[in-house]
Structures are given as C-alpha cells and as structure tokens.
Amino acid sequence: MTWKLPFFRNRKDSEQRKYLKIITSEGISGVLLAGLIGGPFLTGYMLHLGASAAQIGVALAIPAFANLAQIFTAIVTHNIDNRRAYVFGYGVMYRLLWVMTGLIPFVLPQSYWVYTFIILYFLSYLCSNISGVIWASLIGDMVPAKVRGRYMGIRNTIVGGLAAAAVLFGGQLLERYSQEKGFIILYSLAAVCMVWNGYHLFRYPNIPFEKSKESQKLKLLLKPLQDRSFMRATLFLAAWIFIQNVAVPLFSYAMLDVIKVSIQWVSIITTVQMIVMMISYYVWGNLNAKYGTKKTLMWTLPIIAASCMLWGGIAWLPAIPVLVIVHVLLGIGTGGFTQLTFNFTIEDSPSAERTIYVAVYAMLTGFTGFIGPILGGEIYHQLKTMPAWMEQYGFSAMMGLVLLGIAMTVGRAMLLSSNPAGKPERTTMVRNKKKELLG
C-alpha cells in the first residue's frame, strides 16, 4: 500500500489535483535553486566578491524594490488572455539572470564584480515580480478556496524541507572546498534547477479567468485604494516590513562579518530555521483555516519581534546557541507571515481585480521593504565607530523591542479590526455555508 499526501490520494487525478501537483513540483525546483545560491550564500558570495555592508544592504533590498514593477504589470496585463506565457517567460528569465551572476568572476575585472552582481540581481528580481503578480492570479484560480490555506501549508512544508537540505548541503560544500570552487559547484547545481523549474513552469495550464469589467486603467487602480479594509491592513504591513527589514535581512551579515561565525555554522543555523519554517507552514495553514487570515497573521508578529530581541542573549551566553534559538523563532514567525500575507492578498481581492490588488500590496510593501535593508546596511556601517556590543547584538535587540511594541498596539488595531462591520472573514463564511449544506 502506497501513502500519498491528503490532496493526492485519488487513483485518477481530477484537473484540480493535477494543478496542485504541478504547483508543488514547480515550487520544489524553485526553492532548491534559491537554497543553493540565496540566503546566507548570497551574502557569502557577495563578501567573496568584495562587497561592503552597505552594498550587501542594497542587494538584500532588491527583491522588495522590484515589487514596484508589479503595479505597472498589473495595469498593463490585467485583461491578458495567456497568463501562462507571462509566468513561463519571465519566470525563466528571473532564474537565468540570477544564475548568470555566478559567471561574474570569470568574465569581468574585479573592480566590476559587485556592481555587476547588483545589476543582474536587480534585473532578475524585476522579471520575478512581473511573473509573480500574474502567478498569484493564476494560483488563485488553480487552487480551490476551500482548501487553499491547508494546501499551501502542505506545499510550503514540502518545499521548505528540501530548501533546508539544500542550505545544509551548500554549507558543508563551502566548508570542504575553497570558496571559489564551492561557489562554482553551487552555481552549476543551480543551473540544473533552473532548467528543471522551466520545465514545470511550461506545464502550468492557461486557465480562462474572470476579466475586469473596468476598462479605464486609473479607475482600475483606484479599486483597491478605495477598499478600506484592504488598505488598512496593507499600510500596516508595509510599515511593519520596513521596520523588520532594517534588521532581519542583515542577520547573515552580522553572523558572518561581525560576530565571525563560520559559514558552516551559518548554514547549519539557517537550515534549522528552514526546518522549523517547514513544520510551521503546515501548522499555520491549519490555524489559518480555523481562525481566519488576519487574526492568525497578527499572531506571527510578536514571534518575529522576539527573534530580534533574543540577540541580546549574546551578552551572557555563547553566540551559537543564542543564534539557533533566534532563528528557530524567526522560522516560526516568518514562515507564518509569508504564507499568511500571500493568502491575505488572494482572499481579500475580487477575482476579476486580483492582479491589481496583489500589485498594490506588492508596490507598498516593496517600497518599504526596499528602504529597510539599505537603512540597516548604513546603520551597521555607522555602528563600527560605536562600542562592539551595539554592532554584535544591541541593534538587533532594540529593533525587536520596537517591533514588539508596534505588534501589540498598532498591529492589533489594524489587523484585528480591519474587517468592516458585518463583513465576516472568508473562513467564517465558509463555515456558515457548510452548516447550511448540512442542514
């Protein structure tokens, strides 16, 4: 007797189950690529190229900044007929440009290495976000609403576990070989994952979708801006991401270049974070289905704040165990935050205007998320003139206190009261509908 995941047990797959399998398979190849050359290895590779803290901050801000492209993409493509072609074309270009950064030391003089990396990485994420806004719309139609929260939890658990394995493998590889040889191997494997991912993107269906009846682009843009519930939550999340990104994206930099933790230990700590995140996806998915998206999203915020505050433990305890605990909490918090904000943009948007809702969210959070790491990188540069403890753990701990205060005050007000009176969350409506069907 063979065991299958809950969504894949029927002997003859329906169209929807085929879609779920494609989404999962594509996610696996995508996260393996990101696990091999992203995360701590992106920071490590930039240090290998000779980047400063400020330059690393700029690079870490690029994924968020590239979100700004989504608003233009959504306006131009809101009524396109072939969503699959956009997802495939820009999805392949995104990963191709990222993998091409591995060629920089072999084709350019050293003085151009860091700037070329930043340019290619920016173009890569520009393609990613053009693809992403349409991908979110397509996923909204491929995954039935009644199983979306639980399915995304299971999918993210699977791909998260494989991503964690990729990070652990990469750390051991870089510890065993020289950085030059190690990164050659990692980028070669990433190139294989790029081809594999392109195959799965090609298999996505081109599902017909409900088109917006609004033909004027300005009025289309105003629809999410006039949605009070959506905008209250979005503006708060944009502010949260800004403050969070001043500290969290630079955790790897602080470990590698400030505390001088070996890249092997950084990869192990990051793997622990990803394993915890993998497990948390399933838990958050079930909590999402039971309690609703915004309420569950609120619960993730104090956990992220606590992960920053616990950096202060380095003042009394050895760094490694403290950093492991920090990243366990970070995995729990960011795992839920990432999954639930995605569900929030899908659930709080009408099907016909989903791309523009996703794009407005991405534009606002992208702008604040872009500023955060740049400011954080500059702060770390200035901290070099201050007492060592401020750079090592003081700054992160203080940012955690700020985040906790915001979560328990503004966060509660914006998220828990963001639904207009008389407008229950989707989970409540689904639950009531089930009761009606059962008589």
Side-chain angles (χ1 to χ4, degrees):
M1 181 178 178
T2 58
W3 182 85
K4 290 187 177 182
L5 290 170
F7 294 108
F8 308 142
R9 282 179 180 159
N10 281 11
R11 183 173 298 175
K12 186 175 181 180
D13 288 340
S14 65
E15 285 297 310
Q16 288 181 335
R17 281 187 169 82
K18 289 179 182 177
Y19 296 161
L20 300 184
K21 287 184 177 181
I22 292 170
I23 298 167
T24 303
S25 300
E26 187 272 323
I28 289 172
S29 54
V31 299
L32 284 177
L33 184 150
L36 290 168
I37 59 176
F41 304 131
L42 185 143
T43 303
Y45 186 61
M46 288 198 71
L47 289 171
H48 173 64
L49 295 179
S52 65
Q55 289 170 326
I56 291 173
V58 170
L60 293 175
I62 282 173
F65 178 74
N67 280 341
L68 298 176
Q70 293 197 15
I71 190 67
F72 303 105
T73 304
I75 292 173
V76 172
T77 66
H78 70 283
N79 275 344
I80 60 171
D81 292 316
N82 196 339
R83 289 182 289 178
R84 171 177 168 258
Y86 278 82
V87 170
F88 172 73
Y90 283 103
V92 169
M93 283 300 298
Y94 152 52
R95 292 176 175 89
L96 175 63
L97 288 166
W98 193 359
V99 169
M100 284 175 61
T101 61
L103 299 174
I104 289 173
F106 303 101
V107 297
L108 293 171
Q110 189 169 359
S111 58
Y112 293 96
W113 287 1
V114 175
Y115 296 107
T116 305
F117 178 92
I118 291 173
I119 292 170
L120 286 176
Y121 193 58
F122 169 73
L123 294 174
S124 167
Y125 265 88
L126 193 63
C127 292
S128 169
N129 283 283
I130 293 173
S131 171
V133 66
I134 305 170
W135 181 84
S137 168
L138 190 57
I139 293 298
D141 291 334
M142 290 174 69
V143 184
K146 63 182 179 181
V147 301
R148 189 178 294 132
R150 186 165 173 244
Y151 164 72
M152 293 306 291
I154 292 174
R155 174 192 182 264
N156 290 340
T157 298
I158 295 169
V159 301
L162 293 170
V167 171
L168 183 61
F169 168 78
Q172 298 297 320
L173 190 73
L174 290 175
E175 188 70 19
R176 181 172 180 180
Y177 297 103
S178 66
Q179 282 202 346
E180 182 178 353
K181 187 174 182 180
F183 280 120
I184 289 173
I185 297 172
L186 288 180
Y187 270 87
S188 299
L189 293 173
V192 174
C193 292
M194 175 193 69
V195 176
W196 181 19
N197 184 261
Y199 164 72
H200 289 303
L201 287 175
F202 185 76
R203 295 181 60 219
Y204 268 66
N206 185 34
I207 302 175
F209 71 110
E210 181 184 356
K211 296 184 179 182
S212 174
K213 296 177 182 178
E214 183 56 68
S215 59
Q216 296 185 29
K217 292 180 170 55
L218 180 59
K219 289 184 177 180
L220 180 72
L221 177 61
L222 290 176
K223 283 183 176 291
L225 299 178
Q226 293 170 344
D227 187 330
R228 185 170 178 270
S229 173
F230 175 79
M231 288 306 300
R232 277 170 60 89
T234 297
L235 288 172
F236 166 72
L237 291 172
W240 174 271
I241 288 171
F242 164 67
I243 300 169
Q244 172 187 294
N245 278 15
V246 173
V248 172
L250 289 150
F251 278 6
S252 292
Y253 169 77
M255 289 188 289
L256 286 168
D257 203 56
V258 178
I259 305 176
K260 303 298 182 184
V261 177
S262 71
I263 196 164
Q264 181 182 26
W265 265 113
V266 172
S267 67
I268 291 171
I269 291 169
T270 306
T271 302
V272 170
Q273 174 192 337
M274 296 178 76
I275 291 172
V276 172
M277 188 183 296
M278 171 193 71
I279 298 168
S280 78
Y281 284 140
Y282 184 76
V283 177
W284 287 118
N286 287 333
L287 290 173
N288 182 190
K290 186 174 182 180
Y291 295 105
T293 301
K294 291 174 185 173
K295 180 183 288 187
T296 316
L297 180 58
M298 169 62 209
W299 297 343
T300 69
L301 306 184
I303 300 174
I304 296 172
S307 72
C308 296
M309 291 166 56
L310 283 178
W311 275 77
I314 295 176
W316 301 282
L317 299 170
I320 296 298
V322 171
L323 292 173
V324 169
I325 297 171
V326 163
H327 283 77
V328 166
L329 289 177
L330 187 63
I332 297 170
T334 56
F337 186 85
T338 303
Q339 180 166 301
L340 292 164
T341 50
F342 176 79
N343 290 349
F344 158 71
T345 57
I346 295 295
E347 292 174 8
D348 271 45
S349 56
S351 178
E353 282 86 33
R354 183 168 289 147
T355 55
I356 197 68
Y357 269 73
V358 171
V360 167
Y361 173 84
M363 178 185 69
L364 294 173
T365 57
F367 178 70
T368 58
F370 165 70
I371 297 172
I374 293 177
L375 178 60
E378 185 58 33
I379 289 173
Y380 268 104
H381 178 71
Q382 298 299 325
L383 288 175
K384 292 185 181 298
T385 63
M386 300 181 70
W389 66 270
M390 277 294 295
E391 188 180 18
Q392 291 171 354
Y393 57 84
F395 171 64
S396 295
M398 286 189 288
M399 291 303 299
L401 287 171
V402 172
L403 287 169
L404 182 63
I406 293 172
M408 302 311 294
T409 54
V410 183
R412 291 176 63 85
M414 287 297 199
L415 293 179
L416 299 187
S417 63
S418 56
N419 282 334
K423 182 181 177 183
E425 285 202 49
R426 183 190 60 83
T427 50
T428 304
M429 293 188 285
V430 170
R431 199 177 295 123
N432 292 338
K433 187 65 176 177
K434 286 181 179 178
K435 288 180 180 178
E436 291 175 12
L437 293 173
L438 292 172

